[in-house]
Amino acid sequence: MANYELRQIQASLRKATPPPSEGLRSSQTTEQLQSLDRAIQQKDGAAFAKAYSDLTNGCNACHRASGFGSITIQVPVNSPFSDQLFADQIAQGRALARGTCGLCHVVSDAARETPAFRFPAPSFSEIASRPSFSANDLRQLLTSNHRRVGPNQAMLKPKLVEYQIDAIVAFFETLQADRAR
């Protein structure tokens, strides 16, 4: 996404500065764009923040110097994508499952973990391998009271909000996909 946006900025700068006034776009701006590109390619968040800030400040200085001070660039305060969460949902789901369900269930076989309570609760891998159990079933289970999940089996009700349930379901779906391979 950042790489795409950088290309958009470069295209806008080319359109904004016609060839005769190419001198307006200084070597400093070119260096700032290169620094931003390097930070993106290296996936260096700190370098990206600095390069983006330097470029923003440079653009604003240029606007003021050329009589267009009313055009001010700023770092967005809120995400323009209010319906998207840019996070590693699967890692969050794994962490939530460990913290919420890990008392009774083995969440990740790779971690060779042992539940704190040694109830005969099935592991997440075992649950994921059940052909009759789906992500929708898990979602319903996590949102229900689910005191009784089977004969003589009771389960604690986790207090999860919707995005947490979505994350655990996403993690569960990766377990199902891994089992299917």
Side-chain angles (χ1 to χ4, degrees), residues 3-26 29-30 33-34 37 55 59 63:
N3 199 25
Y4 168 79
E5 291 296 334
L6 175 61
R7 301 299 168 243
Q8 293 295 105
I9 290 169
Q10 291 169 327
S12 295
L13 283 171
R14 280 191 295 277
K15 290 177 188 172
T17 53
S21 60
E22 195 69 38
L24 286 177
R25 206 168 83 201
S26 69
T29 304
T30 303
L33 290 167
Q34 289 170 345
D37 189 39
L55 178 62
C59 288
H63 292 167

Side-chain angles (χ1 to χ4, degrees), residues 104-105 119 121 146-157:
C104 301
H105 297 271
F119 294 121
H146 67 281
R147 284 288 186 215
R148 295 273 171 230
V149 291
N152 300 323
Q153 293 177 327
M155 190 165 125
L156 300 173
K157 179 180 179 6

Side-chain angles (χ1 to χ4, degrees), residues 16-103:
T17 53
S21 60
E22 195 69 38
L24 286 177
R25 206 168 83 201
S26 69
S27 63
Q28 183 179 9
T29 304
T30 303
E31 289 172 24
Q32 291 165 341
L33 290 167
Q34 289 170 345
S35 294
L36 190 57
D37 189 39
R38 266 192 310 279
I40 292 167
Q41 300 314 315
Q42 295 171 354
K43 296 180 169 82
D44 184 341
F48 174 84
K50 181 181 180 339
Y52 190 76
S53 178
D54 289 347
L55 178 62
T56 301
N57 292 335
C59 288
N60 289 332
C62 183
H63 292 167
R64 287 188 297 274
S66 58
F68 295 101
S70 61
I71 302 173
T72 304
I73 309 299
Q74 69 178 19
V75 176
V77 181
N78 298 316
S79 172
F81 308 104
S82 60
D83 63 338
Q84 296 178 11
L85 176 64
F86 294 102
D88 186 348
Q89 189 179 40
I90 294 166
Q92 288 178 344
R94 183 183 303 109
L96 280 166
R98 277 197 183 111
T100 305
C101 311
L103 290 172

Side-chain angles (χ1 to χ4, degrees), residues 102-119:
L103 290 172
C104 301
H105 297 271
V106 172
V107 174
S108 176
D109 289 337
R112 305 216 188 280
E113 49 192 53
T114 305
F117 300 122
R118 302 197 191 280
F119 294 121

Side-chain angles (χ1 to χ4, degrees), residues 123-131 133 172 174-177 179:
S123 72
F124 268 43
S125 291
E126 182 185 329
I127 296 168
S129 68
R130 294 176 183 169
F133 199 75
F172 178 77
T174 63
L175 291 175
Q176 283 186 315
R179 300 294 268 174

